[in-house]
Amino acid sequence: MDRTPPRYSRGRINRAGKALATADRDRSSPELREDMRVLNNWRAAHGFPLSALHDRLRAEATNIAADAVVSQRLKTTPSTLSKLRRFPRMQLARMQDLGGCRAAVHTIEQVRELRDAYLALDLGHKLIRNIDYIDRPKPSGYRGVHLIYRYQSDDAFNGLVIEVQMRSRLQHAWATAVETAGAFLHHALKFSEGEQEWLRFFALASSALALKEGSPTVPDTPSRESTLHREVREYATRLNVVARMREYGQLIRNMSTFKRIGAYYFLLERRPAEGMTLIIPYERDELEEASADYLAFEEEGRDVVLVSTDSLEDVRRAYPNYWLDARLFLREMQGIL
């Protein structure tokens, strides 16, 4: 397995994050390009501890649901810098989700079973946060379980923080739909940025799915089903949600892959103008090469993310938003509409 160690001090990492978050979009100066290299190395360093927690998550999730979708990803630079701008006091070296893995199972009951099984493991790492967004959904409508671990070892990776997410099928469908809509609206809806009517629609839709799952609704949304469904229909009609999301879903249906045996990491690039998503695979010991390509693509302004799943077939299941694919969400909404 590739082990890319952090090459810079925490102080240098924090200074790079601050400079990049406060700079304009032009990062062509030598100083900012060096800051980008610092950020990329710090991000890539999370790959080794992330893989360790991901492998244990995959084992537990597939034991509970054989077809569980388990994946891992290194946070994109735009998302990283957006978070630093939203939280000016946050330091890059202390960000808790640069490396994250996720399991999507069928039901809330399976999510909780998975959480309890994972917490019972002797991982050897320190659990620093256990957040239940199912019992306490975010105002945006986001629901799921997050476990934050501090990796503990006697090498350079000691102290790196990894986020473990667990979602039900419906929670994953909702999150995918939010990212898909955000892509075609050019707003970060997942961060509660963008048109208020779309943000309200997704908060209401999340509550509707929560009621179906028998869990608490989103704050400031109706808890009575008839009232909630009526408001969902009003916003869906006003925004023409179904037609617009289906239309954009037709933009990207194809997948172009560079063939390579033994791939573990996949660089996804969304190309709407060509109606396709490009997938570049890398073997398990090629994380540093993959991270360098990731950075180069981001610097060119491409829509990319570096991920890992159990197989190429699972890439689309784990990241349907890279195909603007919200079909499961739309099927659930049809029952309301």
Side-chain angles (χ1 to χ4, degrees):
M1 184 185 302
D2 192 26
R3 297 164 63 104
T4 301
R7 298 192 178 97
Y8 303 90
S9 69
R10 301 297 176 94
R12 178 67 183 92
I13 293 164
N14 289 331
R15 289 195 298 275
K18 183 71 172 178
L20 290 167
T22 55
D24 58 25
R25 292 184 177 272
D26 182 8
R27 304 191 193 102
S28 59
S29 72
E31 294 79 12
L32 288 178
R33 290 185 66 83
E34 177 60 24
D35 287 333
M36 284 291 291
R37 283 189 284 271
V38 172
L39 184 155
N40 191 53
N41 169 254
W42 179 238
R43 176 175 62 183
H46 288 72
F48 177 70
L50 172 58
S51 289
L53 274 79
H54 165 265
D55 290 348
R56 300 300 296 272
L57 179 64
R58 178 180 56 195
E60 295 302 316
T62 53
N63 185 53
I64 291 169
D67 58 350
V69 181
V70 187
S71 60
Q72 62 178 334
R73 67 95 183 98
L74 294 174
K75 196 175 185 72
T76 67
T77 294
S79 291
T80 300
L81 299 184
S82 175
K83 189 168 187 177
L84 291 173
R85 285 190 288 268
R86 294 198 314 276
F87 304 101
R89 298 179 65 181
M90 178 177 289
Q91 296 180 321
L92 177 58
R94 295 176 62 86
M95 190 174 288
Q96 297 184 345
D97 61 347
L98 277 179
C101 53
R102 180 178 67 219
V105 289
H106 291 278
T107 65
I108 284 181
E109 290 73 25
Q110 288 183 338
V111 171
R112 290 178 172 141
E113 182 183 355
L114 176 57
R115 175 197 60 195
D116 294 344
Y118 202 80
L119 289 173
L121 293 173
D122 183 15
L123 293 173
H125 309 300
K126 184 176 181 179
L127 177 70
I128 57 178
R129 294 186 73 191
N130 179 350
I131 314 169
D132 189 335
Y133 290 123
I134 298 176
D135 285 341
R136 296 177 297 279
K138 287 187 175 184
S140 66
Y142 178 84
R143 297 182 303 130
V145 168
H146 289 197
L147 306 178
I148 313 297
Y149 284 91
R150 191 181 307 281
Y151 190 80
Q152 295 185 322
S153 64
D154 57 0
D155 54 25
F157 302 97
N158 185 55
L160 271 63
V161 178
I162 301 297
E163 180 180 76
V164 179
Q165 298 180 5
M166 301 165 187
R167 298 174 182 169
S168 72
R169 179 181 62 92
L170 293 182
Q171 291 158 9
H172 188 51
W174 178 90
T176 293
V178 170
E179 291 201 40
T180 298
F184 67 71
L185 293 170
H186 304 291
H187 289 302
L189 297 179
K190 63 182 291 187
F191 301 130
S192 298
E193 298 175 2
E195 299 177 19
Q196 289 302 310
E197 288 192 327
W198 278 95
L199 295 173
R200 179 63 178 173
F201 166 75
F202 279 115
L204 294 164
S206 180
S207 281
L209 297 179
L211 285 182
K212 183 170 184 176
E213 292 185 302
S215 63
T217 54
V218 176
D220 299 321
T221 63
S223 57
R224 184 176 178 181
E225 186 175 70
S226 59
T227 305
L228 175 61
H229 284 194
R230 183 172 64 251
E231 194 170 348
V232 170
R233 287 193 293 269
E234 290 172 357
Y235 276 88
T237 300
R238 188 182 312 158
L239 297 170
N240 199 17
V241 169
V242 173
R244 292 181 73 180
M245 294 192 76
R246 281 179 175 167
E247 175 187 349
Y248 283 100
Q250 295 300 319
L251 287 178
I252 301 179
R253 283 286 181 243
N254 300 316
M255 178 172 66
S256 177
T257 311
F258 291 107
K259 302 296 183 184
R260 186 178 298 183
I261 297 174
Y264 183 77
Y265 297 103
F266 302 90
L267 190 61
L268 309 184
E269 181 190 358
R270 186 160 46 198
R271 295 182 173 182
E274 300 173 35
M276 63 178 287
T277 289
L278 178 70
I279 302 182
I280 305 176
Y282 302 84
E283 295 181 14
R284 196 166 184 135
D285 61 354
E286 295 179 318
L287 177 58
E288 193 153 8
E289 177 187 342
S291 297
D293 291 344
Y294 190 10
L295 176 61
F297 278 26
E298 287 184 321
E299 288 181 332
E300 294 173 9
R302 301 192 195 184
D303 186 354
V304 291
V305 65
L306 181 62
V307 307
S308 175
T309 61
D310 294 344
S311 67
L312 180 59
E313 290 73 22
D314 278 344
V315 171
R316 185 160 184 164
R317 294 175 64 208
Y319 297 92
N321 54 296
Y322 263 72
W323 283 263
L324 299 179
D325 188 352
R327 283 176 289 181
L328 175 56
F329 174 79
L330 290 177
R331 283 200 298 269
E332 292 297 329
M333 289 299 101
Q334 287 285 25
I336 298 171
L337 302 179

